Amino acid sequence: MQGELLRADQSRSPREDRRSSEERLRPERLRTDCPVLLSERLVMRAPHEEDIDALAHLANNAKVATMVSRMPHPYTADDAADFVRRTKNGDIGKCVYAITKAENGTFIGCCGVEPHADGRTVEIGYWLGEPYWNKGYTTEACHALVDMVFRTRQDVDQIDARCRVMNVASRRVIQKCGFQFQGSGLAASLALASNVPVEWYRLDRKTWMSLRSWGNIA
């Protein structure tokens, strides 16, 4: 599904034409510091229209939706198409990635980076479709995402991550990536239409530098 485009209007001025051209280029500018990420088994790149069917299928799962903050449930093909369109327009965070298998390009989930207002902190988020759980893919994707942030964004001093208190698997991923527990609180869940208890973790640049050899993390 193509992104929404402004309709041509013969009455538009040259200034308006220039503005619309700049708006069409905006997604490309937004992703200039969001390179394609490669790991041993994964390729992480911008979501495409070709991902819509797989995205809708994997995301339409209460076990997934209730563990992330902004995913509706049920999740339809229209929701997936809107998600892809908004990522292209830069409306969802700064870097949003489709997680795919390197061997065949299969779409298996999403992850992303969202900046905080302080300019020194970003927050990562992620989800994987249930058929791909317990295979180490989430940890692999998070390692790649964390490395990208600290290696390419010298202004970022720390990365935050959150998970539901009951989400043992997500907590384990966060801990395996070197994040340290900071506290507990509440966060909104779109799927549940309520606030849910979450844990907050943080990884600072100095700690990351000491853990660059990820094999040293249990």
Side-chain angles (χ1 to χ4, degrees), residues 78-161:
D78 286 341
D79 291 320
D82 184 61
F83 172 81
V84 172
R85 178 185 62 80
R86 288 187 294 133
T87 60
K88 283 191 170 185
N89 291 342
D91 297 334
I92 306 177
K94 185 65 179 291
C95 286
V96 178
Y97 287 101
I99 306 172
T100 68
K101 295 177 69 173
E103 61 180 330
N104 55 18
T106 299
F107 174 95
I108 65 174
C110 287
C111 63
V113 179
E114 185 171 348
H116 285 200
D118 64 6
R120 299 170 44 252
T121 309
V122 301
E123 185 162 342
I124 64 170
Y126 50 82
W127 66 268
L128 243 60
E130 187 175 4
Y132 306 102
W133 293 356
N134 301 314
K135 302 179 187 297
Y137 290 132
T138 311
T139 302
E140 189 173 330
C142 285
H143 282 164
L145 200 60
V146 166
D147 283 350
M148 181 276 290
V149 170
F150 280 134
R151 286 174 175 161
T152 65
R153 303 186 183 183
Q154 298 306 311
D155 56 325
V156 173
D157 295 330
Q158 54 210 14
I159 302 174
D160 285 355

Side-chain angles (χ1 to χ4, degrees), residues 50-70:
E50 292 78 8
D51 300 322
I52 289 174
D53 289 344
L55 170 57
H57 173 69
L58 294 177
N60 189 33
N61 182 339
K63 295 179 183 178
V64 173
T66 57
M67 292 300 163
V68 297
S69 60
R70 290 175 287 193

Side-chain angles (χ1 to χ4, degrees), residues 171 174-175 178-184 198-202:
R171 180 187 302 113
I174 291 169
Q175 292 172 338
F179 287 74
Q180 301 298 310
F181 178 76
Q182 302 295 309
S184 302
V198 298
E199 294 178 348
W200 165 37
Y201 293 81
R202 173 167 286 175

Side-chain angles (χ1 to χ4, degrees), residues 4-47:
E4 295 177 357
L5 299 175
L6 293 173
R7 293 184 180 274
D9 187 339
Q10 293 181 347
S11 65
R12 285 197 307 207
S13 67
R15 182 176 180 180
E16 289 173 324
D17 288 337
R18 286 196 300 273
R19 187 184 301 120
S20 65
S21 296
E22 290 172 356
E23 289 170 350
R24 286 195 296 269
L25 289 173
R26 182 168 173 260
E28 284 74 14
R29 292 204 307 269
L30 285 171
R31 291 199 65 90
T32 54
D33 57 350
C34 303
V36 172
L37 305 180
L38 306 177
S39 63
E40 182 179 355
R41 298 178 295 169
L42 303 174
V43 175
M44 297 157 62
R45 42 80 175 162

